[in-house]
């Protein structure tokens, strides 16, 4: 069964049906576009929500950062950010694979349908033109035949008229004969036009129009098939990211299981333990014996630390819950912060001093590495003057030496305070470096005077370990780790890079909270990939 055979006389119905089908495609495209807008708005709101509650901007040294419940909450926010990225990917894929593709296909169908309808219209016009010619020849034949019949009757009447002359009779006969001949020609022309019209009509109804109708049927079936594929893609687009969304949800579940209430309690103790002893029993003061009060009660001296304050005021009550004054002053709200952290309880003071020592140690280590590199650079410049002037490094070497001396002084100062606070004396000591500004040579010794192997830097890490005659003006950003693709990614958008499942790429730039990580291939190609599509291992 086909349209050309069974719907040969339903041109208007076919035209209306095909137009309605194209309108359905347009309606579906519009529906998917609005769906992508919903996904994009949803993703945007999720990202804003994660950003609003993500406290990455705050200092990592804040006390709550060490709680497992706090870290799990940050993990949940990160997973929600990745989840938002998957919703954006759904919107992007729907727009690319459904909306854009169907819109392009719809334009092709419209043009094709227009062509077929134009062919049908031309065939109809041709048949109508032939019919007009047939009708004209038919009317002419009818008119001429009547004239011929009338002329024959007049000739017969003239022949029977006794008053008519021979010339009149002859003239009437000639006129009748001429009319009969003209009528015969019109008859033959009418027959020819009739035969031509019947032939064209047969061609129109049995060949031309059925062929056009069948083409329209094929067009409509292709339209339906393409629309069905669009329906399937509507589901498959979301199914494709379901595994990653599942991983995001698993990450949220894992964040919940990682919460350890016991460890959080231990962190509270570690962060807030004062180190004070519990107050002892109050002594009985017998005023009847004239006991003089301790001079410490009226002392105007300021104790150096909380322990000293407690010992001097041991006869005073120690209240677990401080009584708040109605009048708040800055001194009541926040104690004066001192460089040696003497305003803190003993335990917290030791921790802060140790933390500060570690920070100074890292800074000192960095300055030492830089001085070694500058020394080597100076050696190279002296051996190869064409590469640079050694004197140009003098200011940098002097500044680095000053920084090292300053940091050494701070290190000794904080070690002394830590010893006073009762801390361990096994803190890290950094090596003494002496620099010769003339040749850039330097000696490295440990505190006891013995040469240390640790002071010799790895030549591969030195700034100038080796120079070649030819070198690049620009260097690629050093990778900070590696990642392995868990899924395929097409990389169709501008700035992205495609990858295959299992492919190992170098990580150039971490995810900054937008759900994308910058990576590089071995051939130098760089681009962004979804963070949730890979497992990342950063170098320490």
């Amino acid at each position: 069964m086909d349209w050309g055979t069974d719907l040969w006389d339903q041109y208007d119905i076919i035209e209306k049906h095909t137009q309605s089908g194209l309108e359905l495609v347009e309606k579906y495209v519009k529906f998917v576009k609005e769906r992508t807008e919903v996904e994009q708005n949803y993703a945007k709101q999720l990202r804003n929500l994660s950003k609003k509650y993500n406290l990455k901007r705050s200092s990592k040294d804040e006390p709550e950062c060490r709680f497992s419940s706090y870290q799990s909450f940050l993990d949940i926010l990160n997973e929600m950010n990745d989840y938002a990225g998957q919703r954006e990917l759904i919107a992007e894929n729907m727009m690319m694979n459904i909306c854009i593709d169907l819109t392009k296909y719809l334009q092709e169908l419209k043009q094709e349908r227009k062509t077929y309808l134009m062919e049908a219209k031309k065939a109809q016009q041709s048949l109508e033109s032939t019919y007009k010619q047939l009708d004209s020849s038919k009317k002419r034949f009818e008119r001429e035949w009547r004239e011929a019949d009338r002329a024959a009757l007049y000739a017969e009447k003239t022949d029977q008229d006794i008053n008519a002359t021979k010339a009149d009779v002859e003239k009437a006969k000639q006129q009748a004969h001429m009319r009969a001949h003209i009528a015969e020609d019109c008859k033959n022309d009418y027959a020819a036009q009739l035969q031509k019209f019947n032939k064209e009509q047969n061609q129109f109804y049995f060949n031309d129009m059925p062929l056009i109708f069948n083409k329209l049927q094929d067009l409509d079936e292709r339209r339906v098939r393409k629309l069905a594929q669009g329906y399937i893609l509507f589901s498959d687009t979301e199914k494709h990211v379901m595994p990653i969304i599942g991983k995001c949800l698993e990450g949220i579940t894992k964040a919940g299981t990682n919460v350890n209430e016991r460890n959080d309690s231990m962190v509270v103790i570690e962060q807030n333990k004062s180190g004070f002893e519990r107050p002892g029993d109050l002594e009985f003061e017998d005023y009847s014996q004239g006991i003089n009060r301790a001079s410490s009660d009226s002392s105007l001296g300021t104790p150096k630390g909380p322990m000293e304050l407690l010992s001097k005021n041991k006869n005073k009550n120690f209240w677990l819950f401080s009584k708040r004054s109605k009048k708040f002053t800055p001194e009541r709200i926040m104690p004066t912060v001192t460089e040696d952290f003497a305003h803190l309880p003993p335990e917290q003071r030791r921790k802060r001093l140790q933390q500060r020592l570690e920070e100074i140690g890292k800074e000192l280590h960095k300055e030492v590495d830089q001085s070694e590199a500058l020394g080597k650079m100076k050696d190279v410049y002296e051996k190869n003057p064409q590469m640079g002037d050694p004197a140009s490094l003098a200011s940098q070497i002097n500044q680095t030496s000053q920084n090292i001396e300053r940091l050494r002084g701070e290190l000794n100062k904080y070690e002394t305070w830590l010893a006073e606070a009762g801390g361990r004396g096994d803190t890290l000591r950094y090596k003494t470096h002496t620099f010769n500004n003339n040749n850039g040579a330097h000696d490295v010794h440990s505190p006891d005077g013995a040469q240390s192997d640790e002071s010799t830097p790895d030549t591969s890490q030195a700034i100038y370990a080796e120079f070649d005659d030819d070198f690049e003006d620009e260097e690629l950003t050093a990778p900070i780790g590696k990642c392995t693709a868990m899924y395929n990614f097409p990389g169709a958008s501008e700035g992205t890079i495609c990858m295959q499942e299992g492919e190992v790429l170098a990580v150039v730039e971490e995810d900054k909270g937008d759900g994308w990580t910058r990576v590089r291939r071995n051939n130098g190609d760089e681009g962004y990939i979804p963070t949730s599509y890979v497992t990342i291992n950063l170098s320490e």
Side-chain angles (χ1 to χ4, degrees):
M1 298 177 67
D2 54 58
W3 289 5
T5 302
D6 299 295
L7 299 178
W8 65 271
D9 58 342
Q10 300 296 330
Y11 173 83
D12 293 338
I13 298 297
I14 292 175
E15 181 183 16
K16 183 178 179 180
H17 173 74
T18 53
Q19 178 63 30
S20 176
L22 297 178
E23 290 175 355
L24 177 61
V25 176
E26 289 180 338
K27 185 181 296 185
Y28 180 64
V29 169
K30 185 177 179 182
F31 162 74
V32 177
K33 281 183 179 179
E34 292 186 7
R35 163 71 191 276
T36 60
E37 291 174 1
V38 170
E39 291 289 352
Q40 289 171 347
N41 291 333
Y42 179 44
K44 183 178 179 181
Q45 291 176 0
L46 283 179
R47 286 195 184 280
N48 291 337
L49 184 65
S50 298
K51 185 177 180 181
K52 177 181 178 181
Y53 287 93
N54 198 329
L55 304 179
K56 280 186 176 180
R57 293 169 294 180
S58 62
S59 174
K60 293 183 179 179
D61 297 332
E62 292 191 8
E64 62 268 16
C65 294
R66 295 184 58 190
F67 296 128
S68 61
S69 55
Y70 179 86
Q71 289 298 331
S72 293
F73 179 59
L74 292 181
D75 292 340
I76 290 175
L77 293 177
N78 291 333
E79 293 295 346
M80 288 305 298
N81 196 61
D82 293 341
Y83 179 80
Q86 298 309 310
R87 306 315 304 188
E88 289 176 340
L89 190 62
I90 289 174
E92 181 181 351
N93 290 339
M94 282 187 176
M95 181 62 70
M96 293 288 294
N97 300 332
I98 299 179
C99 295
I100 295 178
D101 188 44
L102 272 182
T103 300
K104 181 179 178 181
Y105 191 73
L106 180 63
Q107 296 301 323
E108 295 174 357
L109 290 181
K110 284 183 176 181
Q111 187 61 37
E112 187 177 354
R113 175 178 177 273
K114 183 178 179 181
T115 301
Y116 295 152
L117 294 180
M118 288 295 293
E119 291 178 1
K121 188 174 182 180
K122 288 180 180 179
Q124 179 71 20
Q125 290 175 348
S126 177
L127 184 64
E128 290 176 355
S129 176
T130 304
Y131 179 77
K132 288 180 180 179
Q133 293 177 4
L134 171 64
D135 188 60
S136 177
S137 63
K138 178 182 177 182
K139 291 179 178 179
R140 183 183 176 192
F141 167 61
E142 181 182 6
R143 185 175 61 255
E144 293 298 333
W145 183 257
R146 288 175 181 170
E147 291 293 332
D149 189 46
R150 192 178 299 111
L153 290 175
Y154 179 74
E156 183 179 355
K157 182 178 179 181
T158 304
D159 186 43
Q160 293 177 359
D161 188 2
I162 57 175
N163 296 322
T165 62
K166 185 177 180 181
D168 292 337
V169 172
E170 191 64 25
K171 182 178 179 182
K173 287 182 178 181
Q174 288 179 357
Q175 184 69 19
H177 179 71
M178 182 184 69
R179 286 293 179 181
H181 182 71
I182 293 174
E184 188 64 26
D185 289 342
C186 290
K187 178 181 178 182
N188 293 334
D189 181 60
Y190 168 62
Q193 290 294 335
L194 182 62
Q195 185 178 5
K196 178 182 177 182
F197 173 77
N198 289 335
K199 182 179 179 180
E200 286 195 13
Q201 182 175 250
N202 186 71
Q203 177 72 19
F204 179 82
Y205 285 112
F206 288 91
N207 292 309
D208 295 345
M209 293 308 295
L211 180 61
I212 293 173
F213 285 170
N214 288 338
K215 287 180 179 180
L216 288 171
Q217 180 182 358
D218 177 68
L219 179 146
D220 192 66
E221 290 175 356
R222 283 186 283 116
R223 187 265 310 168
V224 173
R225 187 162 55 249
K226 187 70 174 180
L227 189 58
Q229 294 174 359
Y231 292 162
I232 296 172
L233 279 174
F234 189 78
S235 171
D236 289 347
T237 301
E238 190 157 355
K239 284 182 180 178
H240 180 69
V241 299
M242 277 300 180
I244 307 175
I245 291 178
K247 286 187 176 294
C248 294
L249 299 178
E250 288 174 6
I252 294 176
T253 303
K254 185 178 178 181
T257 57
N258 286 342
V259 175
N260 190 317
E261 63 278 7
R262 185 62 182 172
N263 285 350
D264 285 3
S265 297
M266 294 299 103
V267 170
V268 174
I269 295 175
E270 182 182 351
Q271 290 181 345
N272 300 285
K273 182 179 178 181
S274 66
F276 292 144
E277 295 293 336
R278 290 181 176 85
D281 295 339
L282 296 178
E283 296 180 0
F284 178 75
E285 299 183 19
D286 192 354
Y287 290 99
S288 62
Q289 299 298 328
I291 298 176
N292 294 326
R293 297 185 181 183
S295 60
S296 60
D297 290 347
S298 60
S299 176
L300 298 176
T302 303
K304 292 184 178 180
M307 289 296 293
E308 186 177 349
L309 176 64
L310 184 62
S311 64
K312 288 189 176 184
N313 294 278
K314 59 184 180 181
N315 294 329
K316 291 186 176 181
N317 290 345
F318 181 83
W319 300 111
L320 183 62
F321 303 99
S322 60
K323 297 180 179 179
R324 294 185 179 180
S325 173
K326 294 182 180 180
K327 181 179 180 182
F328 288 95
T329 62
E331 291 76 10
R332 291 182 179 272
I333 297 174
M334 183 65 66
T336 304
V337 178
T338 57
E339 187 181 6
D340 60 352
F341 303 112
H343 63 288
L344 296 176
E347 188 73 19
Q348 300 304 316
R349 183 188 181 197
R350 284 193 293 271
K351 289 180 181 178
R352 290 299 298 273
L353 288 171
Q354 288 173 351
Q355 180 182 357
R356 182 59 183 150
L357 278 171
E358 292 176 0
E359 294 174 356
I360 296 174
K362 290 179 181 179
E363 293 179 18
L364 183 57
H365 187 69
K366 182 178 178 182
E367 292 293 335
V368 168
D369 288 344
Q370 184 174 356
S371 7
E372 291 176 355
L374 289 170
K376 290 193 174 186
M377 190 189 304
K378 185 176 180 181
D379 291 343
V380 173
Y381 282 179
E382 289 175 348
K383 295 176 182 179
N384 302 279
Q386 70 275 10
M387 300 194 70
D389 183 12
S392 64
L393 300 177
S395 61
Q396 296 183 43
I397 292 176
N398 291 336
Q399 182 64 39
T400 305
S401 301
Q402 293 175 9
N403 292 341
I404 290 175
E405 291 302 323
R406 176 180 56 81
L407 291 173
R408 279 205 201 102
E410 290 188 7
L411 193 66
N412 293 331
K413 180 172 62 175
Y414 277 93
E415 284 178 344
T416 302
W417 286 339
L418 181 61
E420 291 177 357
R424 296 189 303 271
D426 55 351
T427 55
L428 181 62
R429 290 279 185 175
Y430 282 81
K431 298 171 264 309
T432 305
H433 289 67
T434 58
F435 296 93
N436 187 339
N437 292 334
N438 294 329
N439 54 18
H442 52 280
D443 299 326
V444 183
H445 297 282
S446 58
D448 57 1
Q451 187 170 356
S452 174
D453 293 335
E454 294 178 357
S455 62
T456 305
D458 185 0
T459 55
S460 63
Q461 299 298 326
I463 296 178
Y464 286 90
E466 181 179 352
F467 287 90
D468 295 328
D469 292 334
D470 298 325
F471 58 94
E472 297 178 350
D473 293 333
E474 296 183 0
E475 294 183 358
L476 295 175
T477 304
I480 60 175
K482 292 185 177 181
C483 65
T484 305
M486 296 187 293
Y487 310 97
N488 295 336
F489 179 65
S493 302
E494 183 178 357
T496 60
I497 186 173
C498 65
M499 64 178 179
Q500 302 296 324
E501 183 178 354
E503 185 176 359
V504 179
L505 303 168
V507 178
V508 179
E509 184 179 310
E510 281 190 89
D511 185 352
K512 295 183 178 179
D514 56 359
W516 295 91
T517 298
R518 184 181 172 194
V519 298
R520 181 194 301 139
R521 282 202 179 88
N522 292 333
N523 61 3
D525 293 343
E526 288 189 11
Y528 287 91
I529 57 170
T531 305
S532 54
Y533 274 48
V534 294
T535 55
I536 300 177
N537 294 316
L538 298 179
S539 303
E540 295 183 358

